[in-house]
Amino acid sequence: LIMIDAAKRASAGRITAVIPYFGYARQDRKARSRDPITAKLVANLITAAGADRVLTMDLHAEQIQGFFDITVDNLLGGPTLYNYFAREGNIDVVVSPDIGSVKRARKVAEKFGVPIAIIDKRRPKANVMEVMNIIGDVSGKRCLMIDDMIDTAGTICQGAQALADHGAKEVYACCTHAVLSGPAIERLAASPIKELAILNTIDLPPEKMLDKFKVISVADIFAAAIENVYLDKPMSKIYD
């Protein structure tokens, strides 16, 4: 916000805020009484500071774009993750870790030409997840769980354990934003996940690295997007 203000006061012609990980995105509605809608507040702050455009990746909810009164380019991490696992060529089922990620999982599954499975879960309280059921056939299959974000890793690890309990041959996972807070590293280390592919929208310090992690750079995508912004080209061509 301070840098935007400094650029504005220096008579910048146009200010684009490049924010690979848009924080507070999960607080996009009032889940209970007296909750703030922090995603909208942050959108207001960025706009009020003087940004003309926001460039980000995989907003937790796509409708957050509507929180801004300026242009928001929401880049997709899914194609990069798909390309990585497509080279490996070992995925039989794409798994959505919850109902909210079904659309994202379906897009990737269609590219692979494989079916999807869905983990039905509920949250008795914040950051606590209980697996209820698995919708779809995962027995004897190599499964890929895909999500936009891994925070405490409770969802992804319990989901991976549920897949293993239902006879999955191998469990892989991937996400765009690796927040990895609290007990996340310990949970992932102990989980049946064979490999976790993450994008580098958030810098992962060396002490959080595990052998099963694969960090994939999104620098090329953001570089192409920034070039398109300055040349006034359409963003839709980036993934061609």
Side-chain angles (χ1 to χ4, degrees):
L1 295 174
I2 294 170
M3 291 173 70
I4 291 171
D5 184 73
K8 184 180 179 182
R9 294 175 188 279
S11 302
R14 178 171 61 185
I15 302 170
T16 301
V18 182
I19 310 172
Y21 169 59
F22 182 72
Y24 303 98
R26 284 178 291 179
Q27 214 149 20
D28 61 340
R29 67 194 187 283
K30 288 190 69 167
R32 58 181 67 86
S33 63
R34 301 182 183 87
D35 269 0
I37 304 180
T38 319
K40 171 60 176 169
L41 170 64
V42 174
N44 287 344
L45 290 170
I46 292 169
T47 304
D52 299 297
R53 188 166 182 160
V54 170
L55 181 60
T56 187
M57 176 171 276
D58 278 350
L59 288 169
H60 186 65
E62 291 183 355
Q63 60 266 29
I64 290 174
Q65 292 176 83
F67 289 7
F68 289 85
D69 294 324
I70 57 178
T71 301
V72 177
D73 295 297
N74 184 31
L75 301 179
L76 304 176
T80 302
L81 294 168
Y82 162 76
N83 288 337
Y84 172 72
F85 283 101
R87 288 193 296 269
E88 302 291 313
N90 59 350
I91 301 302
D92 301 317
V93 180
V94 175
V95 181
S96 173
D98 54 32
I99 300 298
S101 298
V102 170
K103 184 179 178 181
R104 184 180 295 106
R106 184 178 289 116
K107 284 182 179 179
V108 175
E110 286 173 354
K111 286 193 170 187
F112 277 118
V114 300
I116 71 167
I118 303 167
I119 296 176
D120 180 28
K121 70 173 188 180
R122 66 182 178 91
R123 287 188 184 275
K125 57 183 179 180
N127 284 336
V128 176
M129 192 273 283
E130 293 179 6
V131 173
M132 303 297 290
N133 194 18
I134 293 181
I135 304 166
D137 181 22
V138 298
S139 180
K141 306 290 179 66
R142 290 165 296 192
C143 301
L144 172 63
M145 301 179 70
I146 184 166
D147 209 347
D148 66 319
M149 179 191 310
I150 297 178
D151 186 0
T152 61
T155 295
I156 208 84
C157 290
Q158 287 193 40
Q161 188 60 56
L163 292 173
D165 294 343
H166 282 72
K169 182 179 179 181
E170 292 175 344
V171 180
Y172 299 87
C174 61
C175 76
T176 302
H177 309 298
V179 180
L180 303 183
S181 66
I185 300 302
E186 291 76 12
R187 286 174 173 175
L188 289 166
S191 75
I193 295 172
K194 184 174 182 180
E195 184 178 45
L196 172 63
I198 57 179
L199 302 183
N200 64 342
T201 56
I202 299 173
D203 185 52
L204 191 65
E207 62 269 19
K208 287 190 175 183
M209 278 296 296
L210 296 176
D211 291 339
K212 64 173 69 178
F213 289 179
K214 171 64 178 179
V215 180
I216 305 169
S217 176
V218 291
D220 289 347
I221 296 174
F222 273 96
I226 291 168
E227 183 178 41
N228 286 355
V229 168
Y230 279 88
L231 297 179
D232 293 316
K233 290 183 177 180
M235 290 293 180
S236 56
K237 303 295 184 183
I238 288 178
Y239 304 102
D240 290 351

